[in-house]
Structures are given as structure tokens and as C-alpha cells.
Amino acid sequence: MTELKNTERELYLFRMRLLVIGIFATVCFSVLIGRYVWLQIVKHEVYATKANENRISVVPIVPNRGLILDRNGVVLARNFSAYTLEITPSKITKDMDVLIDELSALVDIQPKHRKRLRKLMEESKSFESLPIRTRLSDEEVARFTAQRFRFPGVEIQARLFRQYPLGETASHVIGYIGRINKKEAENLDDSEDAANYKGTLYIGKEGLEKSYEKMLHGVTGVEEVEISAGGRAVRTLSRTAPNSGKNLILSVDIELQKVIEEAFGDRRGAMVAIEPETGDVLAFVSKPTFDPNLFVEGIDQQSWHELNTSEDIPLLNRPLTGAYAPGSTYKPFMALLALESGKRTAAQAISDPGYFVFGNHTFNDDKVGGHGMVDMYRAVVHSCDTYFYQLANDLGVDVMHDFMKQFGLGQITGIDLENERRGLLPSSEWKRKAFKKPAQQRWILGDTISLGIGQGQNTFTPLQMAHAMATLVNGGIVMKPHLVKIIEDPHSKERVLTVPKESARIPLKPENIEIIKHAMVGVSKEGTGRTAFLNAEYVAGGKTGTAQVIGMKKGEKYDASKIAERYRDHAWYISFAPADKPKIAVAIIVENGGKGAAAAAPIVRKAFDYFLLGKRPDDKAKAMAAAQAAAAVENDEIDDALPPSKLVTPPASAPATSASLPMAAPATPASVPATNPVKRK
């Protein structure tokens, strides 16, 4: 039986299949052509740029950080190059702990390094390169380089590191840098400096490193590098060189700073020395100090704990933020106000019975029976409280406030450090704003009496006291105190003064200034400061002061031996020299040091001897030893056969000691205002 085929039907089906296949092929080719047009024509520029980016890597070039030098060119902060072992978390192919264990066989990695890396990972982005070890030795670099193929995501980088060669010296002035943390990174990303900080790992954290961060940092450069498919650099296509940060030349004399810090010994306190004519801060001492090198790569937990929990508070910048009652150092300014206001003349005298009665309250002088007849000169020289009790009562708080404000007391001086404390210069307006209850807002006239001797609500920083002293002996010409004297371009060597002119002038009568200076010279010659400046080769003026830390009950007499060390009085001294043309003005406080004449003035004497005469404390020891040796030879007390080399003298490098000065007990710098000012000088 023969099967008949439907030729037409088969032909129809065949044609339909061809049509479907043709349509499908057309659609596919249309899609391909459309995609080609989209990629090659419409999005050509976008993908060409991306392709170029895959081929070209834009690498930021971090500039050299500017140097910090003292006024004589001594380097206080510098940079050095070293190798760092760094890990990029996003590129590693194995567990982090396993990776570090393997790296430990090649490079010394301690638990503290692991801990720091984990902290950095929490604060950073995964694609950032993070250091696991810094300052590798040449041997460690060689060992890792030979095994580098085993550790994808781990590289050795050459980095610049900050170093503070003098360690603890002037640490509160210089400050330190540290690795940029998460919060700082976010702030930088939102700032106009975001592009300039690409590739930067460190930023100023404290001191001048922080306040001059933008100038010290410089301008970041850019390098375009062609890279291979394997991610290796092939060649450099273009390069924009970075501009190094500016150099800071300080007004500080670092040798004077050392002399003062050594003279303090283990005691706590602060001292600021200023050149009156320029406002240059010659020394800015805060004791105790700390080593800023500890912070550069991240301080270890033990060191941080020791610094942060110490009762001596070494991280506190005392000249800048320590607020203390000024004590009797306030009296010369009160005397000047009396002259300027016409409330007193220099010759006008009062009878001092040893107390001053106001209402039903008796304000006692420290001298039982009083000082007898006291004029202005004797009042300053012998620190007569009764004289200044009466004067404060006659002047009133607002007159005192308005006059003292001109000298920067209780004000922001504007020194080039951040976080300066204002302190407190009380007035009736201040009290109205400070308290909410009407009864507390009213100024009590009796409170004015205590202010006259530098007690009560008065609290000033050592910086403010030094600035006020410098302004007074500069004839009322106000120069802004500053630590950076010159900003220098490292390439052109162009220099710019930071404070080229005066800030203001206080309208003071020259004859009145001379009266106060004469009285302060009397303090150093015959008053409370005479012992410290005995046989000085220059004439200095000064005023001692003792600031109460705690109030005494009525009728209670101060006895330091019965008071815990940290509650003993603070010792003040303000001074200037030479008297005829002052080149240096200072304010110093020794916490819990007791008498200003015994604890503070001798440190000032050592500072003046060095700054004015070039004499160091150990020079005196040498001179004394030589004199004793000469006397011994004259008296035949030394064997003629003894060679000169056997004569022992203190070494030139021996640190200055303060064995002759009383040790100050620990204290917190924020002193408690005295409620009953039984004054002690």
C-alpha cells in the first residue's frame, strides 16, 4: 500500500520554520546591534573612562609635614622615613588571624600590634591599607620580600613618620599627631580639604600640631600610574608634585624651657615667660609633662592608663587651662588701678591694725597686730592685706573688673593653642547672668573685699597672669601672646611674622607704671622675694603670692603640716627683669608649694640667670666647687701630689636639682575658692 505525501503541507511547515528562525535570528542580531550601539556610541565616553581607570591608577602623594623649630633653630618636630608592613582587608584571601600568624614567622608582631590593627579596622574602610607593624628593620623587609607572593593583600610601604627628638620637653606646646580616626575622617570628608587629605594617615591631635594643622600638612600631590592586569605598576604617566607643609619657627627658647622644667623637678605647676615688647612666649612650661612620641603610632594601653589615671594629671595643659586664684600677685594691679582712678596716691598711708572690719565680718591680715602706717610702696613690698581690703571696698567690683579686663585677666588671650580657658573676673553683671534665683544674682558688697587680695571668685590662668605682667611693664601696650613667631615656606624660605604689631593700648600714665615697678623691685630687694634674688647681677621686680586651695574656718590658723598635701596652698610669683628695660616677664605657680618666695621665686631666679646672663644652674655648682677647691689648695688641705684630674666637679650635663626648695604636694589645678580669706604670703 503506497503512502501519499502532502507536499504542499510539508512545504508550508518548512517555510514557517524558516520564518520563525529568521525572525528569531533577526531579533537576536537586532539586540546585539542595539547593545553595540549603546556601548560603542551612546555610552562610549562613560566606558572609555572606566576602561582608562582600570588601566590608570591615580595615586595621591602625601606631602612632607612641616618642621617645628625653636627661636634658635633647634628642631622640635621632624620627619623620618621607614618601612611599614600594611594589610588591605578587602584583598586578603584567608582568615586574618591565620594570616597574621604566618606573617609573625617573618616579622616580629606582638599582641599589641594585633590589638591596634583590630581597632584600626573598626575605624577604617575595608579597602584602606592598615599598618600591622611600623619601622621594620632591613632584615625584616628582606625576609618578607622573599615570601611576598604568599601574602596577597599585604604590602611593604615607605612612610614618613613624625618624631619629637626632645621627648617630654615642651610637650604641651608642640603637642603630637596621631592616626586619623573615624570621626576625624568623616569631618574631613565633609570639609573643603577632603581632596587634600587623600592618602593622609595622620593629623594633629594636640598643641601646635593641631592648631597649625593646615599649614603643617601642605598640599597633596597626584601621580597617574599605568598598571597591568595583575595590578602592578608599569610606568608613570604624569606627576604633580606635592607642596611640603610650612615650617613653624617658635618664639620659645627651648634651652630656657629646659632650665625651667628641670628647676621644677617633680613638682606640679606652670610657668609662662613672655618678651613684653613683642609678645613672644619664651617659655611655656606645664609640669608634669609627657612623651608625645607615645601617641604617634597609637599609644599602648598601659601607657595610656598611667597617663590618664595619674593624680598629677600630666596631660593637663596647666598654663592654658589651669584656673587658680591669683593671691597677692593681684595686688600690683590693684595698686595701679588706685593710682589711675585717683583713689590713692603713692604717698597716702593708712593705719593697719591687722584687720579690716566690714559690717559684722572681720577680714584678718596675716600679720598679727598689723603693719602700722602703710603707704602704697610698703603695701606692695610687705603684701599688706588690710591696705587692699580697704582699697577694694573703695573701688567696687565693677571698677576693678573693667580695669583688669584690659590686661586680659579672665579673658581669652588668643594665644595660638586651642581650648584656652577663660577663667573668671567677677562683676555684678556676671553674677546676674550666672545665677537664676534673684537672691543669688545680687552682688554682696562683702565679696568685693576678698577680691582685693586675689581671693574670692577670681580665677586666672598662668598665661593670663604672665600676659598681664608683660603688658604692665610694656607701658600698657598689649601684644598678643604667641608661640609661633614665624611661618616659613620650606622652598622659597619666605618668612611671615604671626604678630607683626600691637593689639591695643591701655591709657596708663607712665609715672604710675614706674611707681608700681619701683614697688615690685622693692619686693625683690627687701620684701618677700629678697632671698631668691640675693646677689643677682641684674635688678628684678616681682610679687609673691599664695593662693588658698581650701577655706579656713573662722578663727582657724593655717598649719601646712596638719593639712593633706593636695590641699595646701599654691605658690605664685610674677616678675620681670631687668627693671629699667624689661626683656622678660613671667608668671609661675607651684601647686601646693606653700610660700611663693620659697617655692616659686627660686625657679624664676634660675630662669632669669639663664636668659639674661647665660648661666645655667649647674654652672653655679661648678663655680662653687672650683671656689672650694681653690680655698682647699690655699689651706694646704690638698696633697700636692694629687693630680688636677682627681678634683671632682659636677658634670656639665647634670640636671638642675631643687633640693633646696620644698617639695610641693600633689594637687588638682582647679582650686576651690576660699570662703574666708585668711591670707598667707
Side-chain angles (χ1 to χ4, degrees):
M1 184 175 181
T2 304
E3 182 179 354
L4 296 176
K5 293 183 179 180
N6 191 338
T7 306
E8 290 184 1
R9 180 175 177 78
E10 289 182 357
L11 183 60
Y12 173 77
L13 292 176
F14 176 74
R15 288 173 177 171
M16 288 299 297
R17 291 189 189 102
L18 285 177
L19 179 63
V20 171
I21 293 172
I23 293 172
F24 179 75
T26 302
V27 169
C28 289
F29 277 105
S30 297
V31 170
L32 289 174
I33 293 171
R35 184 62 177 167
Y36 177 81
V37 171
W38 175 260
L39 293 176
Q40 295 296 323
I41 299 175
V42 179
K43 290 292 184 177
H44 172 75
E45 290 186 7
V46 174
Y47 289 103
T49 300
K50 288 187 176 182
N52 202 44
E53 287 177 350
N54 289 333
R55 183 178 65 89
I56 300 173
S57 175
V58 179
V59 181
I61 308 173
V62 180
N64 291 338
R65 194 171 180 85
L67 305 179
I68 300 178
L69 307 92
D70 90 326
R71 68 189 293 121
N72 298 312
V74 178
V75 178
L76 308 178
R78 64 188 179 192
N79 310 305
F80 71 94
S81 180
Y83 289 108
T84 300
L85 185 66
E86 301 187 5
I87 298 175
T88 305
S90 62
K91 294 182 178 179
I92 62 174
T93 58
K94 59 182 71 175
D95 180 76
M96 180 66 75
D97 290 330
V98 174
L99 174 66
I100 295 175
D101 288 340
E102 293 178 359
L103 287 172
S104 298
L106 304 174
V107 177
D108 181 26
I109 298 177
Q110 301 292 329
K112 64 180 180 180
H113 299 138
R114 294 173 182 253
K115 190 173 183 179
R116 185 180 63 185
L117 178 65
R118 292 191 188 97
K119 184 178 179 181
L120 291 175
M121 289 175 64
E122 293 173 359
E123 297 176 346
S124 306
K125 299 173 183 177
S126 62
F127 57 80
E128 289 183 344
S129 179
L130 305 175
I132 178 68
R133 256 293 312 281
T134 59
R135 307 182 192 186
L136 300 177
S137 66
D138 291 340
E139 184 180 348
E140 288 175 321
V141 171
R143 282 202 301 264
F144 174 79
T145 303
Q147 298 291 322
R148 180 185 174 280
F149 66 92
R150 296 172 46 204
F151 304 101
V154 183
E155 297 285 347
I156 284 182
Q157 300 285 351
R159 301 281 188 185
L160 283 176
F161 292 89
R162 198 65 159 173
Q163 184 187 44
Y164 306 101
L166 299 185
E168 295 187 359
T169 302
S171 58
H172 290 91
V173 174
I174 304 166
Y176 55 86
I177 68 168
R179 194 171 180 90
I180 297 174
N181 59 36
K182 186 175 182 180
K183 183 177 180 181
E184 290 165 339
E186 291 173 353
N187 292 336
L188 284 172
D189 288 342
D190 296 334
S191 73
E192 58 184 13
D193 294 321
N196 196 39
Y197 275 82
K198 292 295 183 183
T200 300
L201 302 178
Y202 301 90
I203 196 170
K205 300 281 188 175
E206 292 292 340
L208 295 175
E209 289 278 27
K210 182 178 182 181
S211 55
Y212 284 87
E213 166 59 33
K214 289 185 179 181
M215 288 189 177
L216 287 166
H217 178 268
V219 180
T220 299
V222 175
E223 190 174 56
E224 290 188 341
V225 180
E226 184 178 0
I227 57 174
S228 66
R232 294 188 176 277
V234 176
R235 60 180 174 137
T236 298
L237 300 177
S238 66
R239 189 177 191 273
T240 302
N243 291 327
S244 299
K246 308 284 188 182
N247 296 332
L248 304 183
I249 300 176
L250 308 190
S251 59
V252 173
D253 183 334
I254 202 63
E255 292 302 318
L256 175 63
Q257 180 91 10
K258 288 179 183 178
V259 167
I260 297 170
E261 289 187 6
E262 290 172 358
F264 260 94
D266 294 331
R267 291 167 292 181
R268 292 155 319 284
M271 179 170 168
V272 178
I274 298 177
E275 185 177 62
E277 188 177 358
T278 61
D280 287 359
V281 176
L282 302 169
F284 191 91
V285 175
S286 182
K287 290 285 287 184
T289 59
F290 62 91
D291 186 355
N293 292 297
L294 294 173
F295 291 88
V296 176
E297 290 303 311
I299 190 169
D300 62 273
Q301 191 64 35
Q302 181 180 350
S303 297
W304 173 248
H305 179 76
E306 291 174 356
L307 290 172
N308 213 31
T309 60
S310 171
E311 289 185 328
D312 294 336
I313 323 178
L315 295 178
L316 179 69
N317 193 328
R318 285 167 165 82
L320 190 73
T321 62
Y324 310 81
S328 291
T329 59
Y330 199 56
K331 292 175 180 177
F333 299 97
M334 286 290 296
L336 181 60
L337 170 56
L339 294 171
E340 290 290 323
S341 64
K343 288 291 184 180
R344 297 284 190 278
T345 64
Q348 187 176 347
I350 67 161
S351 176
D352 172 23
Y355 56 86
F356 176 73
V357 178
F358 183 83
N360 60 356
H361 189 84
T362 300
F363 294 85
N364 295 308
D365 197 297
D366 73 315
K367 185 176 181 180
V368 178
H371 296 80
M373 294 302 295
V374 182
D375 61 7
M376 185 173 287
Y377 179 84
R378 293 195 70 224
V380 174
V381 171
H382 299 289
S383 204
C384 175
D385 289 341
T386 305
Y387 182 95
F388 292 98
Y389 287 147
Q390 291 187 17
L391 178 59
N393 187 51
D394 292 345
L395 289 168
V397 64
D398 290 329
V399 172
M400 294 160 58
H401 170 274
D402 294 344
F403 183 77
M404 302 303 175
K405 181 180 179 180
Q406 299 175 95
F407 288 87
L409 297 175
Q411 314 301 312
I412 298 297
T413 67
I415 194 171
D416 40 357
L417 287 176
E418 295 187 9
N419 304 317
E420 181 182 358
R421 188 171 178 177
R422 182 175 293 275
L424 177 59
L425 180 65
S427 66
S428 57
E429 182 183 1
W430 159 78
K431 198 168 187 181
R432 285 194 300 270
K433 293 180 178 179
F435 297 95
K436 295 182 179 180
K437 296 181 179 179
Q440 296 175 321
Q441 292 176 337
R442 184 173 60 88
W443 184 265
I444 300 173
L445 295 179
D447 289 344
T448 307
I449 312 300
S450 302
L451 299 179
I453 63 167
Q455 297 290 351
Q457 293 99 333
N458 280 329
T459 54
F460 309 137
T461 66
L463 171 62
Q464 290 171 355
M465 291 301 297
H467 176 49
M469 184 78 268
T471 301
L472 191 156
V473 300
N474 198 35
I477 300 175
V478 181
M479 298 299 298
K480 180 181 176 181
H482 52 277
L483 290 159
V484 176
K485 183 178 181 67
I486 295 170
I487 298 174
E488 179 188 62
D489 187 295
H491 302 293
S492 66
K493 300 302 178 183
E494 179 185 356
R495 292 186 167 193
V496 178
L497 285 173
T498 57
V499 181
K501 59 182 181 179
E502 64 192 57
S503 301
R505 290 197 177 208
I506 305 173
L508 302 173
K509 296 178 181 178
E511 59 269 26
N512 291 339
I513 295 175
E514 291 305 314
I515 289 171
I516 301 305
K517 288 171 62 179
H518 176 64
M520 295 182 74
V521 168
V523 172
S524 299
K525 286 188 172 182
E526 57 179 294
T528 50
R530 63 188 181 279
T531 303
F533 285 89
L534 188 66
N535 299 324
E537 299 177 39
Y538 47 84
V539 178
K543 184 69 190 80
T544 56
T546 308
Q548 291 174 258
V549 176
I550 58 172
M552 304 298 293
K553 296 179 181 178
K554 188 174 181 178
E556 184 180 3
K557 189 170 179 63
Y558 177 80
D559 184 351
S561 63
K562 296 181 180 179
I563 298 176
E565 290 180 340
R566 289 190 178 271
Y567 297 110
R568 294 174 184 171
D569 293 344
H570 296 322
W572 272 105
Y573 194 70
I574 59 173
S575 187
F576 61 91
D580 54 345
K581 292 183 179 179
K583 296 180 180 178
I584 183 171
V586 305
I588 180 176
I589 187 166
V590 179
E591 292 179 2
N592 312 109
K595 301 290 185 181
I603 298 177
V604 175
R605 170 68 185 273
K606 291 177 180 179
F608 284 3
D609 281 355
Y610 172 76
F611 187 74
L612 298 175
L613 307 174
K615 293 184 177 180
R616 293 179 178 272
D618 55 351
D619 292 339
K620 291 182 180 180
K622 283 182 178 181
M624 290 179 62
Q628 291 171 354
V633 171
E634 290 178 4
N635 294 319
D636 295 323
E637 293 177 359
I638 298 180
D639 191 338
D640 291 337
L642 188 65
S645 61
K646 296 297 184 181
L647 298 179
V648 179
T649 57
S653 60
T657 62
S658 52
S660 61
L661 306 178
M663 291 298 291
T668 53
S671 47
V672 181
T675 56
N676 183 26
V678 181
K679 191 68 187 71
R680 305 179 284 280
K681 304 175 187 63

